[in-house]
Every structure is written in C-alpha cells, then in structure tokens.
Amino acid sequence: MIDAAAFCEEAVRKLRADVPGRAIVAASGGIDSTTAALLTERALGERARAIFVDTGLLRAHEVETVSGFFRASGLAFQVLPAADRFFAALDGVTEPEEKRRRIGETFIRLFEAEADRFGTDRLVQGTIAPDWIESGGALRDTIKTHHNVGGVPKDSRLVLVEPLRDLYKDEVRAVARELRIPASDRQPFPGPGLAVRVNGPVTPDRVRRARVANAIVEEEVERAVAAGALKRPWQYFAVLLPVRTVGVTGDNRVFGEAVSVRIVDSIDAMTAVAMDVPRELLARIAERVTRELTQEVVRVLYDVTDKPPATIEWE
Ligand code: XMP
C-alpha cells in the first residue's frame, strides 16, 4: 500500500510542473476523478476548474449529489448539460467498443470547447492503472477501451494530465481518505455510465429503465448491508439486456425486456467474484423491478459469473 500523504505531496509538485497556467478537470463525481480534482485544486487553486458533464447516462440523483459535494469543496465547478449530444452520438450504436469510442470523443469535444473558454489546453483526468492496462496499455491485450483512454481522438489539442495513472483503486481510496473526500468507499461507476449497462441500443427510454433498475439494486443492497445480511459488495448494479421475453401482468401477456443483477466482490477490479447473496434480497429486487417497470421489464436474472472469465460490467 502507498504512503498517501507522501503521494499527495508528490502529485501536487508534479501537477504544478505539468500545468504552467490554468487547467480544467474532468469530474464525474466518482472517487478517481474527485481525487484528481482535489489534488489539482491543492496544486493550482483558482487556476483549476472542474467540469461535470451531465451525459444523460447518469444514475438517479447523481447530478444533485455531485454538485452538492463540489459546491462545498471550494473548487470552482460547473455542470455542463449534454444529454442530447450523447444520445445523438450513440444513435444506432450497439457494439460496446464503438459506444466507448463515441462517448470518449463526445467528452473530449465538450472539454475542448470548455478549455478554450477557460484559456487552457490542459485537461486533468482521473485515469487509474486498470483503465489503461485494460485498454491495451504496455503491449497488453485490449479487454475494453476505457472511455478516458481510447476515446481521445488523435487530433485533439488537449494535453492530458493524469496524476493517478499509476494507482490501483484501493490506493486511490487511501489517497481520497487522506484528502477527506466523503464516501471514499462509494462503489465504482463506469465513466461511460448507463450506456454500458444498456446492452444493445442506447435510447432515452432504455436508459431510464436501466436507471430505475440500478437505483432499486443499490437501495436493496444497501438496506441488506445495513441490516447485517450481507458484506458490503465491491459493486452492485443492474444491466438491461438486449433480449425480448414473455411475461404476464394480470391476465395479459407482455413481451418485455430482461434485467440482470450483478453483485460482485473484488479488491482492485482486476479480478472479481460473483457474491452469494440472500435469496430474499434477489426476490425483493425482482419484485420491485418488475413492479416499478411494469409492462416494460418482465424478467430478472442473477449473474453468477466471476471475473475472469466475465468482466464486471457487461460491456
Ligand atoms: P470491468 O468491467 O472491465 O471493469 O471488469 C473494471 C472496473 O472498471 C469500471 N469500468 C470503467 N470505469 N471507465 C471507467 O471510468 C470505463 O470505461 C469503465 N469500464 C469499466 C467497472 O465498473 C469496474 O469497477
């Protein structure tokens, strides 16, 4: 494990060296980019501005939660509404790598415009080691192109600054605790957001279904953890599957969709184990998902696959 205090000192020194003028910070509200943002604030003060992009692919209440935290943090912060841009970029795309590429490119184009407005070419990102390793870094096989790695177009004039590049998640959490970031044990959420939890076409309606199902899984798992029925998982979420399936509501046949629930334990996301969870928890999730998305989702599955051979996210 790293010495978090020494890491912060060194990161601040390096940020000052890498950023001669101003910088914008890509802030998603997740632990990685929040840590990168606060280190940047320490290093640059008013020369830094965090930008939180509302992609339309976020979880329920994410915009309010993240805005509240950043407003209280002292870092200059702005929300950029861009759902229309992301849905347009994803129109008709089903291939996961293509989704990631388009999302990455849309982010960068938005950041380029904001960087111009703020008078800089430096973009600070919270990229961590598994992001670039899984994206095929250092001659490795590409598992999946993390949006913040492979999505950066070659012609971009932005200069990337990545203070957490060499850290693994558990190390980032130690640094986050050092910086007193609340909820540093918050579960990870992928930068491409619900787009990679909506297998198949990404439409506003399908994202809404995935958002409702994700919120139910989060609420129910957190309730079970608080009641002592379950150890806090590394990640717990729902995926909307690209299948149609028959269900029955009242006396009526419904040709609806299916959701898979994923609850995994891990240390650094490089490997993961599908958790053994109480049957009642799964039953409650299934009951709520099919009721709160009645006529839309008619079937709920539990994913029992470890990583490897699966990955944590489905795409
Ligand atoms: P996988 O699905 O590859 O994910 O087992 C490993 C960890 O990374 C998260 N993840 C991402 N995070 N951008 C991110 O910032 C991405 O494109 C991305 N893809 C996956 C995933 O949730 C898990 O914690």
Side-chain angles (χ1 to χ4, degrees), residues 100 131 134 144-148 188-192 197 234-235 269 307 311-313:
R100 285 163 179 276
D131 298 352
E134 294 209 329
K144 57 186 71 173
T145 307
H146 286 233
H147 74 291
N148 47 344
F189 182 65
R197 292 187 182 168
W234 168 270
Q235 257 175 298
K307 172 183 180 175
T311 56
I312 295 177
E313 305 289 344

Side-chain angles (χ1 to χ4, degrees), residues 7 9 14 26-28 32 39 59 78 90 95 110 117 142 155 157 192 200 262 278:
F7 175 86
E9 229 171 84
K14 197 156 181 316
S28 71
D32 305 342
L39 284 170
R59 284 172 294 185
Q78 137 194 10
L90 290 167
E95 207 283 311
L110 290 165
R117 252 191 283 277
T142 301
D155 66 354
R157 57 188 178 282
R262 187 116 171 96

